[in-house]
Amino acid sequence: MLGGVKNKTRKVFSRLINVLPFQKNSISPNYCELIVTEKCFFRCKMCNMWKRTHENQPTLIQWKKFLDSFKKTIELPYKISICGGETLTYPHLSSLIKYAKNLGFDISITTNAFLLNKKLADKLYKAGLREYVISLDSLDETTHDSIRGKKGSYKKIMEAIEILSKYRETSINLISVIMSLNVKELVKLIDWTNNNTNINSINFNAITEPLCSNSGEKWFKDSSYAYLWPESSKTKESIEKIIKLKEKENKIGNSIAQLRTFIDYYNQPLKFVKDGKCHMGNSVSINSEGFIFLCHYFGAIGNIKKDQFEEIWRSKKSQIIRKKILECKKNCKMLINCNFEE
């Protein structure tokens, strides 16, 4: 009888542990991105996500429940990045942003800006959106449109910047991928950004394995993508110029440490760029079907459609994946770009 009482006590205690709020000394997510859709009408040369024809998306209610649960694992202020695919194609974007803002989160969205107009900008502003990250790879219209696989995309970006500049407290940020097709134009892009009072910052990403290509670590030797890989010496020269500009007062968002890491990566792409272990065990990425990843190489830890985030975040499965991540030596998109850590 006494043993039965003990067992019941253990079960109650176990359930209690799963609903207790996070302690300050617990591991908390240091990065969170919501990939609300993988649908896209662009044909970017470094991404095959547009080839996906089907996705079983979470409902808006399920996204909201995730945010409720996620909030229990972090301390505010906290920024969540909403991205795609093309983010502006997601039909519930304004509702999701409004809900997240009401919970106290800061929100940024990444977009190609092609669909942005005054009506949509008004709607997103009223929902609480104050930060845009817009993809711009070149000031040469032909080059940018070619990279993004959509004629007219450059003009749409310039129109979007003009539209967004009318909204108070709205931060307009640019993101550019460093590749063979634009490596010589980066400094020009920085100069233009510095002289444009509407632009808050410009950030650079190193080109990594094209999304949804399954081409592996040696993707840059694949005949389908090798042309995107820039010559190491030219890339080093360009990035060193960026570093010199960064040392002065300007709008470059990357840290000098990250820019130097880019040089090492382009010189030896298969050599692990970190001196220590991978830190992706503290990151959260949720794809357009609701699967939750610490790292996309090691499988999902759960799905927001059925799991409470605060429970799976500290689950045994998550712990096992974190241990694997610590031993990983791959230079992935998250490690080098999105969630870079010195």
Side-chain angles (χ1 to χ4, degrees):
M1 182 70 178
L2 183 60
V5 171
K6 285 183 178 179
N7 286 335
K8 286 182 180 179
T9 303
R10 287 193 191 101
K11 290 178 181 178
V12 170
F13 181 73
S14 177
R15 287 196 295 268
L16 180 62
I17 285 294
N18 284 332
V19 298
L20 283 174
F22 257 53
Q23 301 299 313
K24 288 186 178 180
N25 59 356
S26 297
I27 296 175
S28 295
N30 62 7
Y31 175 86
C32 180
E33 66 175 15
L34 312 183
I35 304 172
V36 291
T37 181
E38 294 187 4
K39 295 176 182 177
C40 189
F41 51 93
F42 275 30
R43 301 292 183 265
C44 298
K45 297 188 182 302
M46 59 287 193
C47 177
N48 286 331
M49 195 176 284
W50 58 271
K51 292 183 179 181
R52 293 202 59 179
T53 58
H54 174 75
E55 56 185 358
N56 185 17
Q57 293 180 325
T59 64
L60 178 59
I61 291 175
Q62 288 168 335
W63 278 116
K64 289 178 177 180
K65 286 182 177 179
F66 160 76
L67 290 172
D68 290 335
S69 183
F70 183 78
K71 186 179 178 180
K72 297 175 184 177
T73 69
I74 57 92
E75 292 184 2
L76 299 174
Y78 193 97
K79 181 186 289 186
I80 291 178
S81 301
I82 299 180
C83 52
E86 174 40 44
T87 316
L88 296 182
T89 65
Y90 179 61
H92 308 298
L93 183 60
S94 62
S95 297
L96 183 61
I97 290 171
K98 183 177 182 179
Y99 191 82
K101 290 290 291 185
N102 287 340
L103 287 177
F105 290 108
D106 295 323
I107 300 295
S108 73
I109 71 164
T110 301
T111 175
N112 60 38
F114 197 90
L115 297 178
L116 194 74
N117 53 36
K118 181 65 167 57
K119 182 179 179 181
L120 181 55
D122 278 343
K123 188 176 182 180
L124 295 176
Y125 185 83
K126 289 175 182 176
L129 183 61
R130 296 294 184 272
E131 182 173 347
Y132 288 80
V133 179
I134 299 175
S135 301
L136 177 62
D137 295 306
S138 174
L139 283 181
D140 182 282
E141 183 175 346
T142 301
T143 299
H144 174 82
D145 287 3
S146 175
I147 289 172
R148 293 291 163 175
K150 183 69 174 178
K151 189 173 182 180
S153 60
Y154 176 87
K155 288 181 179 178
K156 285 290 187 179
I157 288 172
M158 297 304 152
E159 291 174 9
I161 291 172
E162 185 63 27
I163 290 171
L164 294 176
S165 67
K166 309 301 181 185
Y167 294 87
R168 292 172 49 250
E169 300 176 355
T170 295
S171 178
I172 306 171
N173 307 279
L174 304 178
I175 187 78
S176 184
V177 181
I178 302 173
M179 64 184 83
S180 62
L181 305 177
N182 68 349
V183 68
K184 295 180 180 180
E185 304 175 31
L186 306 180
V187 172
K188 185 178 179 181
L189 195 53
I190 294 169
D191 289 341
W192 178 80
T193 300
N194 285 336
N195 292 321
N196 191 320
T197 57
N198 295 324
I199 307 296
N200 181 63
S201 73
I202 181 167
N203 288 264
F204 294 97
N205 277 351
I207 189 168
T208 55
E209 179 185 352
L211 293 174
C212 302
S213 69
N214 296 316
S215 50
E217 286 185 89
K218 297 182 180 179
W219 68 269
F220 52 89
K221 294 184 179 181
D222 188 313
S223 58
S224 298
Y225 306 107
Y227 75 98
L228 296 172
W229 188 255
E231 184 182 322
S232 177
S233 60
K234 291 180 180 178
T235 309
K236 181 180 179 182
E237 181 181 350
S238 290
I239 296 176
E240 284 178 343
K241 289 179 180 178
I242 295 174
I243 291 173
K244 289 181 179 178
L245 290 171
K246 174 67 179 180
E247 291 171 342
K248 303 175 182 178
E249 186 176 347
N250 58 60
K251 299 179 181 178
I252 300 170
N254 306 77
S255 68
I256 290 176
Q258 185 177 29
L259 293 169
R260 286 177 176 156
T261 296
F262 286 173
I263 292 176
D264 294 338
Y265 166 69
Y266 282 110
N267 185 43
Q268 292 182 285
L270 296 178
K271 183 180 178 181
F272 193 54
V273 295
K274 283 184 69 73
D275 291 331
K277 296 181 179 293
C278 182
H279 60 280
M280 288 302 111
N282 291 356
S283 66
V284 177
S285 176
I286 303 176
N287 76 4
S288 63
E289 297 191 336
F291 288 101
I292 307 167
F293 297 87
L294 305 178
C295 171
H296 287 268
Y297 283 115
F298 294 105
I301 61 172
N303 192 297
I304 68 170
K305 296 174 185 175
K306 61 182 180 65
D307 298 312
Q308 288 292 313
F309 178 79
E310 75 267 23
E311 294 179 8
I312 61 171
W313 174 250
R314 51 190 166 183
S315 67
K316 185 175 181 180
K317 184 174 184 179
S318 295
Q319 293 173 21
I320 291 170
I321 289 178
R322 285 191 184 98
K323 289 180 180 179
K324 292 180 180 180
I325 288 172
L326 288 174
E327 302 305 318
C328 181
K329 298 296 180 182
K330 294 180 180 179
N331 291 325
C332 68
K333 172 181 76 76
M334 296 288 285
L335 181 79
I336 296 175
N337 295 321
C338 305
N339 191 20
F340 176 80
E341 184 179 282
E342 296 180 29

